[in-house]
Amino acid sequence: MATTKRLRTNKIVMGTCYYPEHWDESLWKNDLLRMIDSGIEVIRIGEFAWSRIEPTEGNYTFDFFDRFLEVARETGMKVIFCTPTATPPAWLTEKYPEVLNRTIEGVSYRHGGRRHYNYNSPVYRDFTAAIVEKIAQHYAPHPNIIGWQIDNEINCEVNEFYSESDDIAFRNFIKKKYGTLEALNQAWGTAFWNQEYTDWSQVHIPQPVVNRSMNPHRMLDYIRFISESAREFVKLQSDIIRKYIKEGDFITTNGMFGNLDNHKMTDESLDFYMFDSYPNFAYCLDQDPEQVSDLKDREWSRMLSEVRSISPVFGIMEQQSGANGWTSRIVAPQPKPGQITLWSMQSVAHGADYISYFRWRTCTMGTEIYWHGILDYSNRENRRIAEIREISNKFDKIKEIAGATYKASFGVVKDYDNIWDAQIDIWHKKVEEVSSKGIFKASQLTHTPMDYVYIGEDAQLDDLSRYPVLFYPHAVIMTRERAELLEAYVKQGGTLILGCRTGYKDITGKCVMLKLPGLLRDLSGADVIDYTFVSPADDPVYVDWDGIKLEAAVFNDILEPLEDAQVLGTYTSNYYTGKAGLIGRKLGEGYVYYFGGAFTEDTVKVFLQKTGILSPYRHVLEVPQSCELAVREKDGMEYLFVLNYEKEAQKIEIKQPLFDLYEQKIVSGSVILSPYDTKVYRREKI
Ligand code: GAL
C-alpha cells in the first residue's frame, strides 16, 4: 500500500518539540544554541498557538513567529511548522459554539482543554481554512522551515463526535452511501427491533440507547463516517499548504489513534506519517494492571510495527524523554539511565529515521507540568540531556541505516473493516485480542520479525506476495475482492494461516447465510459444521497436530475437510473430541491452513516452526528472549538491532563476525549488554 509514503533523509535526524509561546523571548536563542550543541537539528513549533497568529477574529499578526523564526535563521535551526487547529481560541468557541464537539448525551465540550472541536462544522472548517491559508502563505517561504504538521494527533483524546454538524454530515454520508431508504434499511438490518427508517430525517449519529445496544451495522458506518470526517479535515488543510509549500518540504501529521484509516489519510494528504512514542505507558501506575502487557515497554514495538505499515520509513514526532504525567491523569516514573536511548533505538529499529523528543523543557504551567521533557523546570544540565548527547553520537555512527526498510519474516493481514467490527462486537473482539497478542509475542520472543499488512480497497498482490507466510487470524468480515486476492496470494506460492470465525460477516457487518467460512470456504477447504466459545468451565482445548498439542483458545470452529483438503489436527477434548480442528489445503504453489481456534503465543510458535520461518537469525546470533532483535535492510546490507529491555545485563552470542556500528569494528563471540543497552550490527545479506 503506502510504500511510497516514506521519510527520505540521509542520516538519522534528531529533533525536539519547542513552544516559544511558553517561554520568555530572552530564552529562545540560548535554547536553540543549546539544542544544536546537543545534536538537535530540527524543532516542531506552533501546534497549539492559534492566538499568537489570530488573537481576535480576523485579525492576523505574524510578528510573534516572525521573531522566533528569525532566531531559528540566526542559529541555523530547522523548523517543522504546525497548523494550530487542535486548540481553537476562546473567542472562536464562545462566539460560534457550534464548532464544539459534544458527548453522546449532547453535552458540549467547552474551552479549556484541547481537541474540543468537531471536524464537520462548516464554521470551523471556514476558520480552519482561513488560518491555514494565512499561515502557509506567510511562513512557507521561510528558509528554515522544512516541513508541516497538520493539527496535532488527529482523533486523540476523543474520537467520537456528536455535534449537530456531525449529525447532519452523517445523514449526508449515509444518503450518499445508500441512495435510498430501502437500501439503508437493508444494509442496517432495520427489520430487527422495528428500526426501519421511513424518512431521512430519522437517521442520526448514535444516541443514547438502553443498555448501549446500538445497531452494530449503524455503528460500523458511524466509525467509517468519523474516519472520513477526520480525513477530509486533514485534506482540507494539506490542499491549502500544498499551494504554498517550498519544493522539498513535507507535510505530515503525528498519531496514531483509533476510528481513523491512517493509511488512507496518509495516501491522500501526507508525504509520510509520524508517530508519538511513549513506551512509559507500559508502566503507567494508574492503568488497569490487567491491561499491561507482560512485554511491558517492548509491547510498544507493536505500535511501531503498525506505524511502519503506513510509512515503511517514518518519523517520531514525539519521543519520550522524561516522566509522563498530567495533573489530571497518569502517574509514571522517569526513564531510567539508558532507557531514553533504548526507546529511541526501538523506534529506529522499527523504521524511524527522525527522532524528535517531547519536549525540550518541562512546562512550568498547565495540565502537563508532569509531562517531562529533556530539561527540568530549572533549565539546569541534567542526566537526560547528557543521554541525548550520547544518542546523537550513536545516531551519527549508524547514519548509513537511513532509508533501510524493516525486514520481516512473515506478515499479519489487517483491514479497517475488521478492526472496527471488533471494536463494536465483543464476540469478535475476544478472539482478535488473544490472537493479536499471541502472534506479536511469539514473533518477539522467537526473534521472528513480522510486519502488519493492511489491505484496503486498493490492495495488490504485490503487497502480500513479499511475505512467504501470512496470518489473517480472524477475517470475520470478508469481501469477494479480498477473497480473490488471498487466493491469488496462495496460488503464487504463499502460505496463508486463517483462524476461527473467518468469513461469517459481509461488509455491513451482517452475518452471511453461507456455509462457513463463507467466501473463504473454497479457498481454505474447510467446512465449519459447528462452533462454540470455550466455556470458562472447560479446560483449555487442544488440537493434536502430529503429536504436538496446539491450544485452540477462546473459540472453536469444528471442522470437516472439503474434497482436496486434509485433516492435519483433531480436537482432544470437549464434545468435539476427535473432530477436525486444523485443516490444510495445497493450492497452486501455496498452502492454506484453517485453524479452529484463536492463536496463543505457543500455538503461533508451532505454526512458525512448521512453516519453516522460525528464528531466521539463529545462525548469526543467539539472543535471549528478554532482548528484542529487529532487522533493517538496504543495499545488500542487513542491520541487526539488539535491544535489552531488562534491568539486568544480558548475554548474546555472535556466531558469525559482525560489524558493530557503535564501536566501528568487527566483533564475534559473547557480548554482554548492560541494563537497557542496545547494539547495532551490520552484515552482508546472504
Ligand atoms: C501527546 C501530545 C502532546 C503532549 C503529550 C503529553 O499526545 O501530542 O501535545 O500533550 O502527549 O501529554
Side-chain angles (χ1 to χ4, degrees):
M1 283 179 55
T3 43
T4 55
K5 301 286 186 170
R6 51 166 67 207
L7 167 60
R8 290 168 205 280
T9 151
N10 55 8
K11 59 180 181 179
I12 312 291
V13 180
M14 199 181 240
T16 191
C17 304
Y18 191 64
Y19 297 88
E21 67 276 22
H22 293 176
W23 310 106
D24 193 275
E25 289 197 27
S26 62
L27 289 171
W28 289 353
K29 188 162 182 183
N30 192 40
D31 280 342
L32 267 51
L33 288 173
R34 199 167 164 201
M35 288 174 198
I36 288 169
D37 179 57
S38 313
I40 291 168
E41 295 178 57
V42 182
I43 52 173
R44 177 194 66 174
I45 59 168
E47 78 272 25
F48 302 122
W50 190 317
S51 302
R52 286 289 184 280
I53 296 160
E54 193 182 5
T56 56
E57 184 174 348
N59 295 314
Y60 297 95
T61 157
F62 302 104
D63 296 0
F64 181 81
F65 283 108
D66 278 348
R67 285 201 303 280
F68 181 75
L69 287 170
E70 180 52 24
V71 180
R73 201 191 53 74
E74 276 171 36
T75 54
M77 179 61 79
K78 293 179 207 129
V79 174
I80 299 172
F81 207 96
C82 304
T83 67
T85 49
T87 44
W91 58 257
L92 201 167
T93 55
E94 196 60 25
K95 183 162 171 199
Y96 305 98
E98 67 265 44
V99 307
L100 296 165
N101 187 12
R102 291 186 189 162
T103 64
I104 191 167
E105 293 82 16
V107 179
S108 208
Y109 292 106
R110 307 307 304 222
H111 194 75
R114 64 175 175 181
R115 304 205 55 78
H116 39 295
Y117 69 91
N118 72 74
Y119 299 123
N120 284 304
S121 153
V123 174
Y124 199 59
R125 287 197 178 194
D126 285 351
F127 274 105
T128 293
I131 190 140
V132 173
E133 185 100 35
K134 291 284 181 192
I135 291 177
Q137 198 171 30
H138 184 83
Y139 295 113
H142 196 283
N144 287 63
I145 291 184
I146 59 162
W148 290 80
Q149 173 185 303
I150 291 175
D151 201 284
N152 185 68
E153 299 194 325
I154 296 293
N155 274 10
C156 172
E157 315 273 343
V158 53
N159 60 17
E160 291 171 16
F161 296 83
Y162 300 103
S163 73
E164 187 80 41
S165 315
D166 295 308
D167 198 43
I168 296 167
F170 181 62
R171 190 168 308 119
N172 289 336
F173 172 87
I174 292 301
K175 240 188 203 169
K176 193 165 151 218
K177 180 161 184 174
Y178 295 109
T180 65
L181 286 166
E182 292 70 36
L184 168 64
N185 282 317
Q186 178 69 29
W188 286 1
T190 54
F192 181 79
W193 282 357
N194 197 33
Q195 291 171 357
E196 273 131 343
Y197 298 99
T198 53
D199 192 282
W200 288 107
S201 63
Q202 299 154 4
V203 177
H204 294 288
I205 47 172
Q207 292 157 324
V209 291
V210 176
N211 239 339
R212 286 184 283 152
S213 54
M214 180 69 65
N215 177 318
H217 321 300
R218 178 176 161 198
M219 279 305 287
L220 194 55
D221 272 340
Y222 173 63
I223 298 176
R224 290 175 175 138
F225 159 76
I226 296 173
S227 174
E228 186 169 295
S229 305
R231 282 173 24 226
E232 277 178 8
F233 186 71
V234 169
K235 181 135 187 1
L236 166 80
Q237 300 201 28
S238 78
D239 283 351
I240 296 170
I241 300 170
R242 290 253 179 248
K243 293 195 290 180
Y244 301 103
I245 195 168
K246 290 198 300 297
E247 182 153 357
D249 289 2
F250 58 79
I251 300 177
T252 187
T253 192
N254 55 335
M256 173 187 64
F257 297 91
N259 292 357
L260 175 57
D261 183 335
N262 286 292
H263 293 73
K264 230 182 217 171
M265 176 181 74
T266 304
D267 276 347
E268 291 163 347
S269 304
L270 310 178
D271 292 304
F272 55 84
Y273 194 63
M274 293 248 205
F275 179 59
D276 295 342
S277 191
Y278 294 102
N280 221 9
F281 275 121
Y283 300 108
C284 287
L285 303 179
D286 57 354
Q287 208 164 301
D288 172 5
E290 291 277 292
Q291 295 303 312
V292 179
S293 156
D294 49 7
L295 284 174
K296 300 204 259 347
D297 47 338
R298 188 171 169 185
E299 177 72 23
W300 217 243
S301 295
R302 173 137 70 119
M303 305 290 276
L304 293 161
S305 305
E306 291 273 0
V307 176
R308 200 171 60 233
S309 78
I310 308 170
S311 273
V313 180
F314 54 92
I316 301 292
M317 194 62 100
E318 299 179 16
Q319 177 78 47
Q320 180 172 351
S321 64
N324 308 133
W326 284 12
T327 48
S328 51
R329 57 190 267 260
I330 305 177
V331 180
Q334 293 286 2
K336 302 203 168 47
Q339 277 186 325
I340 304 177
T341 315
L342 168 70
W343 295 335
S344 304
M345 287 301 170
Q346 179 183 26
S347 296
V348 176
H350 281 274
D353 281 356
Y354 175 62
I355 304 290
S356 163
Y357 294 96
F358 188 87
R359 47 186 279 160
W360 171 243
R361 189 167 40 241
T362 314
C363 202
T364 56
M365 59 201 172
T367 311
E368 292 191 0
I369 54 175
Y370 303 122
W371 206 282
H372 289 70
I374 299 170
L375 294 172
D376 297 311
Y377 316 119
S378 68
N379 211 22
R380 68 189 289 172
E381 283 288 294
N382 63 13
R383 68 164 170 97
R384 299 200 299 282
I385 195 166
E387 192 167 330
I388 297 292
R389 292 200 186 101
E390 281 170 26
I391 298 172
S392 163
N393 288 334
K394 288 199 159 99
F395 282 179
D396 199 41
K397 300 226 169 91
I398 64 167
K399 60 173 180 253
E400 64 182 85
I401 292 173
T405 15
Y406 189 87
K407 192 175 177 203
S409 304
F410 72 100
V412 177
V413 181
K414 295 186 95 168
D415 66 87
Y416 284 100
D417 296 311
N418 277 299
I419 291 172
W420 294 336
D421 189 67
Q423 269 173 228
I424 56 183
D425 176 341
I426 58 164
W427 276 52
H428 184 170
K429 189 182 193 167
K430 269 199 183 302
V431 286
E432 186 54 44
E433 274 181 357
V434 167
S435 293
S436 60
K437 278 187 190 150
I439 295 171
F440 182 72
K441 205 166 163 198
S443 150
Q444 278 289 320
L445 299 187
T446 63
H447 308 306
T448 313
M450 56 165 269
D451 274 345
Y452 290 111
V453 189
Y454 273 72
I455 49 174
E457 293 132 26
D458 57 347
Q460 305 287 327
L461 182 56
D462 282 357
D463 301 325
L464 305 186
S465 56
R466 286 186 280 139
Y467 302 92
V469 175
L470 287 176
F471 283 81
Y472 199 172
H474 309 290
V476 164
I477 291 183
M478 185 44 58
T479 64
R480 209 160 281 289
E481 296 75 38
R482 283 180 202 157
E484 281 166 12
L485 186 66
L486 294 171
E487 184 175 331
Y489 165 75
V490 175
K491 281 189 170 152
Q492 58 84 48
T495 296
L496 177 65
I497 304 169
L498 303 166
C500 67
R501 305 262 68 199
T502 295
Y504 76 92
K505 289 186 178 179
D506 67 17
I507 196 73
T508 66
K510 295 204 302 295
C511 299
V512 293
M513 283 185 71
L514 295 172
K515 290 179 181 163
L516 298 182
L519 296 177
L520 291 192
R521 190 163 170 270
D522 288 346
L523 173 63
S524 66
D527 187 14
V528 180
I529 53 162
D530 188 10
Y531 55 75
T532 180
F533 264 107
V534 180
S535 154
D538 293 331
D539 292 329
V541 176
Y542 292 92
V543 167
D544 182 321
W545 187 6
D546 295 338
I548 301 174
K549 273 177 77 185
L550 212 56
E551 184 175 356
V554 189
F555 196 96
N556 294 151
D557 280 346
I558 296 121
L559 310 172
E560 273 180 7
L562 298 177
E563 308 95 51
D564 56 346
Q566 243 190 309
V567 175
L568 300 176
T570 50
Y571 287 107
T572 59
S573 63
N574 220 317
Y575 69 86
Y576 34 92
T577 304
K579 295 267 171 47
L582 177 65
I583 299 258
R585 179 177 180 229
K586 177 141 187 45
L587 178 67
E589 301 298 307
Y591 201 82
V592 191
Y593 292 96
Y594 192 98
F595 176 59
F599 298 91
T600 63
E601 177 196 332
D602 286 344
T603 297
V604 175
K605 284 179 183 165
V606 176
F607 276 101
L608 297 180
Q609 208 236 319
K610 290 268 191 185
T611 51
I613 57 167
L614 185 74
S615 314
Y617 294 92
R618 63 183 182 281
H619 307 298
V620 182
L621 75 181
E622 209 175 277
V623 179
Q625 279 204 14
S626 51
C627 295
E628 177 171 5
L629 172 70
V631 183
R632 289 178 70 174
E633 65 176 334
K634 185 176 103 174
D635 301 337
M637 291 294 173
E638 282 182 345
Y639 299 94
L640 289 81
F641 290 75
V642 185
L643 310 170
N644 177 15
Y645 293 87
E646 300 297 318
K647 55 179 185 294
E648 292 87 26
Q650 304 291 319
K651 189 166 109 180
I652 62 172
E653 206 56 46
I654 301 178
K655 297 179 163 178
Q656 293 172 6
L658 296 174
F659 188 77
D660 181 327
L661 258 67
Y662 295 161
E663 302 294 329
Q664 296 284 308
K665 63 173 194 210
I666 293 176
V667 290
S668 61
S670 303
V671 172
I672 303 291
L673 274 78
S674 49
Y676 314 120
D677 204 0
T678 64
K679 298 278 179 200
V680 188
Y681 301 113
R682 184 182 67 206
R683 82 193 270 258
E684 263 176 56
K685 203 170 130 186
I686 300 165

